[in-house]
Amino acid sequence: DAGVTQSPTHLIKTRGQQVTLRCSPKSGHDTVSWYQQALGQGPQFIFQYYEEEERQRGNFPDRFSGHQFPNYSSELNVNALLLGDSALYLCASSPKPYNEQFFGPGTRLTVL
Amino acid sequence: QKEVEQDPGPLSVPEGAIVSLNCTYSNSAFQYFMWYRQYSRKGPELLMYTYSSGNKEDGRFTAQVDKSSKYISLFIRDSQPSDSATYLCAIDMFSGGYNKLIFGAGTRLAVHP
């Protein structure tokens, strides 16, 4: 049973560019949450998707947007990248929105 | 004030030592408390999940919640070099049928042989 998978593993972008990160949830999971983990910090909640809709959102600007597809996979989009967006982006999936969340290995984004 | 505060360490102990990791939280309404372990370049993995106050034990790991002082702890007995990782405390926060995790900053632990 494959766990949560994320792609790409690493990404380097320049300021002002746009980026799309992808997540495939664990088999049987229909809820996907995204977190941002800056170096030396704990993960911070960005948003959660269930039934293809954003259900709750953390304290992140509108430059951060997402999407969930009918097969439950998800994308995180970040526009107008800033240096401060450099971080590990973690995807977590759960069987239902209120269940335990299982994390993927993350995508490390570097903004130059 | 941050919702969850955690000393980032680093903490270095010899193999076999008892390790104590701690967090404090601000909101007395929180009821679900978790400890995650994160190895370098990996995602967090759930170690312990505790509801309300009291202790929960799983092998060498014991999670403790003291709601009166808003303090959560993780104890690791007979620590091993393989326990070297960052340990994150987290609150599982529920709202309107959905949940999100609020993490502390994480404590880096190194267990040396």
Side-chain angles (χ1 to χ4, degrees):
Chain A
D1 173 29
V4 179
T5 59
Q6 292 185 244
S7 63
T9 306
H10 297 93
L11 206 49
I12 299 175
K13 292 285 187 179
T14 55
R15 278 177 297 175
Q17 285 190 309
Q18 179 264 344
V19 69
T20 297
L21 311 181
R22 295 177 176 81
C23 171
S24 291
K26 211 169 143 62
S27 176
H29 289 192
D30 61 10
T31 303
V32 173
S33 302
W34 287 91
Y35 293 81
Q36 180 196 65
Q37 186 175 23
L39 197 62
Q41 299 295 316
Q44 286 195 52
F45 175 76
I46 304 175
F47 41 53
Q48 183 180 70
Y49 276 84
Y50 173 66
E51 293 186 332
E52 302 179 50
E53 287 192 20
E54 182 184 296
R55 297 295 177 172
Q56 55 176 337
R57 188 180 183 93
N59 189 24
F60 280 81
D62 292 345
R63 299 187 296 109
F64 289 77
S65 63
H67 189 77
Q68 186 179 34
F69 298 93
N71 67 352
Y72 310 123
S73 66
S74 177
E75 287 182 350
L76 165 65
N77 300 292
V78 187
N79 294 324
L81 284 167
L82 303 174
L83 295 179
D85 295 331
S86 295
L88 181 68
Y89 287 85
L90 294 162
C91 170
S93 73
S94 50
K96 284 299 174 194
Y98 43 84
N99 287 154
E100 177 190 338
Q101 297 183 16
F102 293 80
F103 284 84
T107 293
R108 184 160 298 283
L109 172 65
T110 302
V111 182
L112 301 176
Chain B
Q1 182 187 10
K2 286 187 178 180
E3 291 175 295
V4 183
E5 301 265 13
Q6 183 175 11
D7 186 340
L11 191 59
S12 181
V13 301
E15 184 175 354
I18 296 174
V19 176
S20 172
L21 304 166
N22 308 293
C23 289
T24 58
Y25 62 93
S26 59
N27 190 335
S28 56
F30 292 151
Q31 296 196 78
Y32 298 88
F33 307 94
M34 312 161 88
W35 284 95
Y36 281 84
R37 178 175 61 196
Q38 185 174 25
Y39 290 113
S40 182
R41 302 185 183 281
K42 301 283 189 184
E45 57 174 326
L46 182 65
L47 272 180
M48 304 285 282
Y49 192 118
T50 311
Y51 169 69
S52 195
S53 281
N55 291 1
K56 185 174 182 180
E57 192 172 317
D58 184 2
R60 297 184 294 110
F61 298 89
T62 299
Q64 194 172 78
V65 177
D66 182 347
K67 292 201 75 180
S68 62
S69 56
K70 290 185 271 188
Y71 200 82
I72 54 178
S73 302
L74 179 71
F75 299 96
I76 307 174
R77 290 185 300 280
D78 187 26
S79 56
Q80 303 294 310
S82 59
D83 295 328
S84 298
T86 295
Y87 289 80
L88 297 152
C89 61
I91 308 294
D92 200 350
M93 190 164 149
F94 293 85
S95 175
Y98 303 96
N99 70 334
K100 64 180 180 184
L101 301 175
I102 303 172
F103 286 90
T107 300
R108 282 177 52 199
L109 171 67
V111 181
H112 51 86

